[in-house]
Amino acid sequence: MSSYFIYDSINQYRSDNTVSEGQMSDSGTPTFSATSTITNHERASDQNIGTIISAVADRDAIEYAVGSSVTADCAAVYFTGDDSVSSGTIMTFFIDTDRASLPSKGTISAVSAAGWAVTDLTETTGTKFFTEFNGSVTNVSEILIGKKLSFEVEPDVNIQSSIDYNNIKNSSMGGVEYVLNVNPGQEEITIGFQNISSTFKDALVEMQNQLKGEAKKFLFFDSSKYYWCRLGKSMVFTEIADSRWSTQIVLRQQIQ
């Protein structure tokens, strides 16, 4: 399986978006009605995978109303543990410009352990994005709706990895050093591409623009493992031949 990024392409994390909780009608193409149902529903889109929503019942739903028309083709959900549903579909995603007669764009099936669950959506442009829960789903901490950017080639073999412990170091007047450790360490991954097309370069630039550089978190899949991360710095592209480019991408893994 090839590597890819999943990032917020719908401005999901903008503070001026309207995020509503409610319920879907019992229908194959349901209608959303806003009502107080889910406890702490805002935690599903706060860029923090350490806090969860709760009190979820069958057909409860969350609506993201983002204003202008935007496009999504993927959804990723982080679970802090078993979802408490034994099998079958546990989440359904809808995209439209209204709340009525919503067509399904994709689903996620039951999970039994902590981690990311990812599904491809039918690529759709809309202003309203919905997540419906199909059962009393538990341990949902983050729902990311956006775009999947698959790598056109795998990164070069010289991938670099290091740990930043964010130590704060001070020295006394006599030269004695004192160090305060503030977290268990964050991995920094540097991946390089020596020869990519203008099409892939433009897609990377679009992702960086959507992320506002280091501002928003996103998901990196290295063909075996998911990383919840930010850009460590802006990408720099070098033209090595006509319409061919090289670049490095620095990823800073997030603790939560």
Side-chain angles (χ1 to χ4, degrees), residues 135-167:
S136 298
V137 181
T138 62
N139 291 320
V140 173
S141 66
E142 191 72 15
I143 300 171
L144 171 60
I145 299 172
K147 283 190 174 181
K148 177 190 285 186
L149 174 54
S150 297
F151 293 7
E152 68 173 13
V153 293
E154 287 301 306
D156 301 329
V157 294
N158 59 338
I159 295 175
Q160 299 175 358
S161 175
S162 63
I163 303 294
D164 182 359
Y165 293 97
N166 287 287
N167 292 328

mmCIF file of all heavy atoms in Angstrom, residues 135-167:
data_model
loop_
_atom_site.group_PDB
_atom_site.id
_atom_site.type_symbol
_atom_site.label_atom_id
_atom_site.label_comp_id
_atom_site.label_asym_id
_atom_site.label_seq_id
_atom_site.Cartn_x
_atom_site.Cartn_y
_atom_site.Cartn_z
ATOM 1 N N GLY A 135 -25.241 3.409 15.948
ATOM 2 C CA GLY A 135 -25.130 2.657 17.185
ATOM 3 C C GLY A 135 -24.551 3.522 18.292
ATOM 4 O O GLY A 135 -24.206 4.690 18.075
ATOM 5 N N SER A 136 -24.449 2.960 19.484
ATOM 6 C CA SER A 136 -23.920 3.697 20.646
ATOM 7 C C SER A 136 -22.391 3.627 20.637
ATOM 8 O O SER A 136 -21.761 2.934 21.442
ATOM 9 C CB SER A 136 -24.489 3.103 21.936
ATOM 10 O OG SER A 136 -25.900 3.221 21.966
ATOM 11 N N VAL A 137 -21.810 4.356 19.721
ATOM 12 C CA VAL A 137 -20.365 4.305 19.477
ATOM 13 C C VAL A 137 -19.623 5.051 20.594
ATOM 14 O O VAL A 137 -20.024 6.141 21.005
ATOM 15 C CB VAL A 137 -20.035 4.925 18.108
ATOM 16 C CG1 VAL A 137 -18.534 4.856 17.832
ATOM 17 C CG2 VAL A 137 -20.813 4.215 16.999
ATOM 18 N N THR A 138 -18.520 4.473 21.064
ATOM 19 C CA THR A 138 -17.727 5.089 22.129
ATOM 20 C C THR A 138 -16.285 5.327 21.665
ATOM 21 O O THR A 138 -15.848 4.806 20.640
ATOM 22 C CB THR A 138 -17.691 4.203 23.388
ATOM 23 O OG1 THR A 138 -17.062 2.950 23.056
ATOM 24 C CG2 THR A 138 -19.090 3.942 23.905
ATOM 25 N N ASN A 139 -15.586 6.133 22.467
ATOM 26 C CA ASN A 139 -14.142 6.358 22.319
ATOM 27 C C ASN A 139 -13.750 7.079 21.028
ATOM 28 O O ASN A 139 -12.621 6.930 20.546
ATOM 29 C CB ASN A 139 -13.368 5.036 22.431
ATOM 30 C CG ASN A 139 -13.412 4.479 23.838
ATOM 31 O OD1 ASN A 139 -13.320 5.214 24.821
ATOM 32 N ND2 ASN A 139 -13.565 3.164 23.949
ATOM 33 N N VAL A 140 -14.643 7.889 20.477
ATOM 34 C CA VAL A 140 -14.300 8.718 19.316
ATOM 35 C C VAL A 140 -13.689 10.026 19.813
ATOM 36 O O VAL A 140 -14.309 10.756 20.585
ATOM 37 C CB VAL A 140 -15.540 9.019 18.462
ATOM 38 C CG1 VAL A 140 -15.205 10.021 17.354
ATOM 39 C CG2 VAL A 140 -16.098 7.737 17.861
ATOM 40 N N SER A 141 -12.476 10.326 19.383
ATOM 41 C CA SER A 141 -11.821 11.542 19.854
ATOM 42 C C SER A 141 -11.545 12.555 18.744
ATOM 43 O O SER A 141 -11.351 13.739 19.038
ATOM 44 C CB SER A 141 -10.506 11.218 20.564
ATOM 45 O OG SER A 141 -9.572 10.681 19.663
ATOM 46 N N GLU A 142 -11.498 12.134 17.481
ATOM 47 C CA GLU A 142 -11.243 13.091 16.394
ATOM 48 C C GLU A 142 -11.843 12.571 15.106
ATOM 49 O O GLU A 142 -11.713 11.375 14.777
ATOM 50 C CB GLU A 142 -9.750 13.334 16.206
ATOM 51 C CG GLU A 142 -9.395 14.494 15.288
ATOM 52 C CD GLU A 142 -9.688 15.860 15.905
ATOM 53 O OE1 GLU A 142 -9.905 15.918 17.136
ATOM 54 O OE2 GLU A 142 -9.685 16.861 15.177
ATOM 55 N N ILE A 143 -12.520 13.469 14.371
ATOM 56 C CA ILE A 143 -13.057 13.157 13.056
ATOM 57 C C ILE A 143 -12.475 14.171 12.084
ATOM 58 O O ILE A 143 -12.714 15.381 12.202
ATOM 59 C CB ILE A 143 -14.593 13.229 13.029
ATOM 60 C CG1 ILE A 143 -15.188 12.237 14.026
ATOM 61 C CG2 ILE A 143 -15.121 12.949 11.622
ATOM 62 C CD1 ILE A 143 -16.693 12.390 14.225
ATOM 63 N N LEU A 144 -11.687 13.694 11.138
ATOM 64 C CA LEU A 144 -11.054 14.555 10.139
ATOM 65 C C LEU A 144 -11.660 14.252 8.777
ATOM 66 O O LEU A 144 -11.589 13.122 8.292
ATOM 67 C CB LEU A 144 -9.542 14.297 10.112
ATOM 68 C CG LEU A 144 -8.729 14.955 8.991
ATOM 69 C CD1 LEU A 144 -8.846 16.478 9.054
ATOM 70 C CD2 LEU A 144 -7.278 14.533 9.064
ATOM 71 N N ILE A 145 -12.274 15.255 8.170
ATOM 72 C CA ILE A 145 -12.853 15.121 6.834
ATOM 73 C C ILE A 145 -12.039 15.991 5.889
ATOM 74 O O ILE A 145 -11.803 17.172 6.169
ATOM 75 C CB ILE A 145 -14.329 15.553 6.829
ATOM 76 C CG1 ILE A 145 -15.146 14.680 7.782
ATOM 77 C CG2 ILE A 145 -14.915 15.472 5.411
ATOM 78 C CD1 ILE A 145 -16.572 15.164 7.988
ATOM 79 N N GLY A 146 -11.592 15.410 4.799
ATOM 80 C CA GLY A 146 -10.745 16.200 3.904
ATOM 81 C C GLY A 146 -10.362 15.443 2.658
ATOM 82 O O GLY A 146 -11.158 14.708 2.090
ATOM 83 N N LYS A 147 -9.090 15.603 2.265
ATOM 84 C CA LYS A 147 -8.588 14.979 1.048
ATOM 85 C C LYS A 147 -7.421 14.050 1.361
ATOM 86 O O LYS A 147 -6.636 14.297 2.269
ATOM 87 C CB LYS A 147 -8.143 16.034 0.036
ATOM 88 C CG LYS A 147 -9.287 16.702 -0.698
ATOM 89 C CD LYS A 147 -8.777 17.561 -1.850
ATOM 90 C CE LYS A 147 -9.924 18.128 -2.677
ATOM 91 N NZ LYS A 147 -9.424 18.937 -3.813
ATOM 92 N N LYS A 148 -7.348 12.989 0.564
ATOM 93 C CA LYS A 148 -6.201 12.090 0.613
ATOM 94 C C LYS A 148 -5.263 12.448 -0.534
ATOM 95 O O LYS A 148 -5.682 12.518 -1.693
ATOM 96 C CB LYS A 148 -6.645 10.636 0.493
ATOM 97 C CG LYS A 148 -5.480 9.641 0.467
ATOM 98 C CD LYS A 148 -5.931 8.234 0.111
ATOM 99 C CE LYS A 148 -6.649 7.570 1.272
ATOM 100 N NZ LYS A 148 -6.966 6.142 0.969
ATOM 101 N N LEU A 149 -3.991 12.675 -0.182
ATOM 102 C CA LEU A 149 -2.969 12.958 -1.186
ATOM 103 C C LEU A 149 -2.014 11.768 -1.220
ATOM 104 O O LEU A 149 -1.126 11.635 -0.368
ATOM 105 C CB LEU A 149 -2.225 14.252 -0.856
ATOM 106 C CG LEU A 149 -1.030 14.607 -1.748
ATOM 107 C CD1 LEU A 149 -1.436 14.631 -3.220
ATOM 108 C CD2 LEU A 149 -0.432 15.946 -1.335
ATOM 109 N N SER A 150 -2.202 10.900 -2.206
ATOM 110 C CA SER A 150 -1.338 9.729 -2.348
ATOM 111 C C SER A 150 -0.023 10.132 -3.012
ATOM 112 O O SER A 150 -0.004 10.968 -3.928
ATOM 113 C CB SER A 150 -2.032 8.656 -3.185
ATOM 114 O OG SER A 150 -3.204 8.193 -2.541
ATOM 115 N N PHE A 151 1.070 9.537 -2.561
ATOM 116 C CA PHE A 151 2.379 9.835 -3.139
ATOM 117 C C PHE A 151 2.463 9.260 -4.551
ATOM 118 O O PHE A 151 2.082 8.107 -4.766
ATOM 119 C CB PHE A 151 3.492 9.239 -2.289
ATOM 120 C CG PHE A 151 3.653 9.866 -0.926
ATOM 121 C CD1 PHE A 151 2.752 10.810 -0.447
ATOM 122 C CD2 PHE A 151 4.711 9.510 -0.109
ATOM 123 C CE1 PHE A 151 2.898 11.381 0.804
ATOM 124 C CE2 PHE A 151 4.878 10.070 1.146
ATOM 125 C CZ PHE A 151 3.968 11.013 1.607
ATOM 126 N N GLU A 152 2.980 10.037 -5.494
ATOM 127 C CA GLU A 152 3.140 9.510 -6.850
ATOM 128 C C GLU A 152 4.345 8.555 -6.920
ATOM 129 O O GLU A 152 4.385 7.648 -7.750
ATOM 130 C CB GLU A 152 3.298 10.631 -7.866
ATOM 131 C CG GLU A 152 4.581 11.420 -7.778
ATOM 132 C CD GLU A 152 4.736 12.415 -8.925
ATOM 133 O OE1 GLU A 152 3.744 12.655 -9.636
ATOM 134 O OE2 GLU A 152 5.841 12.951 -9.092
ATOM 135 N N VAL A 153 5.316 8.774 -6.034
ATOM 136 C CA VAL A 153 6.443 7.852 -5.855
ATOM 137 C C VAL A 153 6.717 7.781 -4.355
ATOM 138 O O VAL A 153 6.385 8.700 -3.612
ATOM 139 C CB VAL A 153 7.710 8.320 -6.596
ATOM 140 C CG1 VAL A 153 7.516 8.265 -8.091
ATOM 141 C CG2 VAL A 153 8.119 9.711 -6.154
ATOM 142 N N GLU A 154 7.310 6.690 -3.918
ATOM 143 C CA GLU A 154 7.683 6.593 -2.514
ATOM 144 C C GLU A 154 8.887 7.494 -2.238
ATOM 145 O O GLU A 154 9.700 7.750 -3.131
ATOM 146 C CB GLU A 154 8.010 5.152 -2.141
ATOM 147 C CG GLU A 154 6.779 4.264 -2.058
ATOM 148 C CD GLU A 154 5.766 4.756 -1.028
ATOM 149 O OE1 GLU A 154 6.123 4.953 0.140
ATOM 150 O OE2 GLU A 154 4.595 4.973 -1.415
ATOM 151 N N PRO A 155 9.015 8.008 -1.005
ATOM 152 C CA PRO A 155 10.147 8.887 -0.685
ATOM 153 C C PRO A 155 11.479 8.179 -0.876
ATOM 154 O O PRO A 155 11.554 6.944 -0.933
ATOM 155 C CB PRO A 155 9.913 9.235 0.791
ATOM 156 C CG PRO A 155 8.481 8.939 1.049
ATOM 157 C CD PRO A 155 8.116 7.815 0.133
ATOM 158 N N ASP A 156 12.545 8.978 -0.964
ATOM 159 C CA ASP A 156 13.884 8.419 -1.069
ATOM 160 C C ASP A 156 14.200 7.579 0.169
ATOM 161 O O ASP A 156 13.618 7.760 1.242
ATOM 162 C CB ASP A 156 14.916 9.545 -1.210
ATOM 163 C CG ASP A 156 14.625 10.405 -2.441
ATOM 164 O OD1 ASP A 156 14.094 9.859 -3.425
ATOM 165 O OD2 ASP A 156 14.925 11.610 -2.397
ATOM 166 N N VAL A 157 15.196 6.699 0.026
ATOM 167 C CA VAL A 157 15.496 5.749 1.095
ATOM 168 C C VAL A 157 16.159 6.410 2.307
ATOM 169 O O VAL A 157 16.204 5.817 3.388
ATOM 170 C CB VAL A 157 16.408 4.613 0.581
ATOM 171 C CG1 VAL A 157 15.670 3.773 -0.431
ATOM 172 C CG2 VAL A 157 17.704 5.175 -0.004
ATOM 173 N N ASN A 158 16.645 7.630 2.154
ATOM 174 C CA ASN A 158 17.350 8.280 3.267
ATOM 175 C C ASN A 158 16.398 9.064 4.170
ATOM 176 O O ASN A 158 16.621 10.234 4.467
ATOM 177 C CB ASN A 158 18.467 9.188 2.746
ATOM 178 C CG ASN A 158 17.946 10.276 1.821
ATOM 179 O OD1 ASN A 158 16.879 10.135 1.251
ATOM 180 N ND2 ASN A 158 18.695 11.360 1.682
ATOM 181 N N ILE A 159 15.315 8.405 4.601
ATOM 182 C CA ILE A 159 14.377 9.036 5.539
ATOM 183 C C ILE A 159 15.081 9.231 6.877
ATOM 184 O O ILE A 159 15.751 8.328 7.376
ATOM 185 C CB ILE A 159 13.119 8.176 5.707
ATOM 186 C CG1 ILE A 159 12.342 8.111 4.387
ATOM 187 C CG2 ILE A 159 12.223 8.716 6.816
ATOM 188 C CD1 ILE A 159 11.148 7.192 4.418
ATOM 189 N N GLN A 160 14.933 10.427 7.450
ATOM 190 C CA GLN A 160 15.588 10.742 8.723
ATOM 191 C C GLN A 160 14.549 10.809 9.839
ATOM 192 O O GLN A 160 13.433 11.281 9.630
ATOM 193 C CB GLN A 160 16.328 12.070 8.629
ATOM 194 C CG GLN A 160 17.427 12.089 7.580
ATOM 195 C CD GLN A 160 18.057 13.454 7.417
ATOM 196 O OE1 GLN A 160 17.654 14.415 8.063
ATOM 197 N NE2 GLN A 160 19.055 13.543 6.560
ATOM 198 N N SER A 161 14.928 10.343 11.023
ATOM 199 C CA SER A 161 14.043 10.380 12.181
ATOM 200 C C SER A 161 14.844 10.784 13.403
ATOM 201 O O SER A 161 15.961 10.290 13.616
ATOM 202 C CB SER A 161 13.406 9.001 12.406
ATOM 203 O OG SER A 161 12.632 8.994 13.589
ATOM 204 N N SER A 162 14.295 11.690 14.209
ATOM 205 C CA SER A 162 14.947 12.118 15.439
ATOM 206 C C SER A 162 13.880 12.414 16.485
ATOM 207 O O SER A 162 12.698 12.567 16.157
ATOM 208 C CB SER A 162 15.815 13.361 15.209
ATOM 209 O OG SER A 162 15.020 14.460 14.800
ATOM 210 N N ILE A 163 14.293 12.494 17.747
ATOM 211 C CA ILE A 163 13.384 12.790 18.848
ATOM 212 C C ILE A 163 13.763 14.132 19.463
ATOM 213 O O ILE A 163 14.919 14.363 19.812
ATOM 214 C CB ILE A 163 13.425 11.702 19.941
ATOM 215 C CG1 ILE A 163 13.093 10.327 19.349
ATOM 216 C CG2 ILE A 163 12.458 12.047 21.068
ATOM 217 C CD1 ILE A 163 11.683 10.193 18.829
ATOM 218 N N ASP A 164 12.784 15.018 19.553
ATOM 219 C CA ASP A 164 12.976 16.311 20.217
ATOM 220 C C ASP A 164 12.281 16.247 21.575
ATOM 221 O O ASP A 164 11.066 16.104 21.649
ATOM 222 C CB ASP A 164 12.381 17.429 19.363
ATOM 223 C CG ASP A 164 12.596 18.811 19.965
ATOM 224 O OD1 ASP A 164 13.200 18.899 21.051
ATOM 225 O OD2 ASP A 164 12.148 19.804 19.347
ATOM 226 N N TYR A 165 13.069 16.361 22.660
ATOM 227 C CA TYR A 165 12.513 16.258 24.003
ATOM 228 C C TYR A 165 12.074 17.604 24.570
ATOM 229 O O TYR A 165 11.571 17.679 25.684
ATOM 230 C CB TYR A 165 13.539 15.611 24.939
ATOM 231 C CG TYR A 165 13.808 14.166 24.584
ATOM 232 C CD1 TYR A 165 14.908 13.822 23.812
ATOM 233 C CD2 TYR A 165 12.946 13.157 24.990
ATOM 234 C CE1 TYR A 165 15.158 12.502 23.464
ATOM 235 C CE2 TYR A 165 13.185 11.834 24.650
ATOM 236 C CZ TYR A 165 14.296 11.515 23.884
ATOM 237 O OH TYR A 165 14.527 10.211 23.537
ATOM 238 N N ASN A 166 12.247 18.673 23.804
ATOM 239 C CA ASN A 166 11.807 20.011 24.220
ATOM 240 C C ASN A 166 12.347 20.389 25.599
ATOM 241 O O ASN A 166 11.652 20.992 26.421
ATOM 242 C CB ASN A 166 10.280 20.108 24.225
ATOM 243 C CG ASN A 166 9.708 20.154 22.825
ATOM 244 O OD1 ASN A 166 9.824 21.157 22.137
ATOM 245 N ND2 ASN A 166 9.118 19.058 22.396
ATOM 246 N N ASN A 167 13.589 20.024 25.873
ATOM 247 C CA ASN A 167 14.189 20.375 27.156
ATOM 248 C C ASN A 167 14.478 21.877 27.233
ATOM 249 O O ASN A 167 14.924 22.487 26.259
ATOM 250 C CB ASN A 167 15.494 19.606 27.365
ATOM 251 C CG ASN A 167 15.260 18.119 27.551
ATOM 252 O OD1 ASN A 167 14.232 17.720 28.094
ATOM 253 N ND2 ASN A 167 16.200 17.301 27.111
#
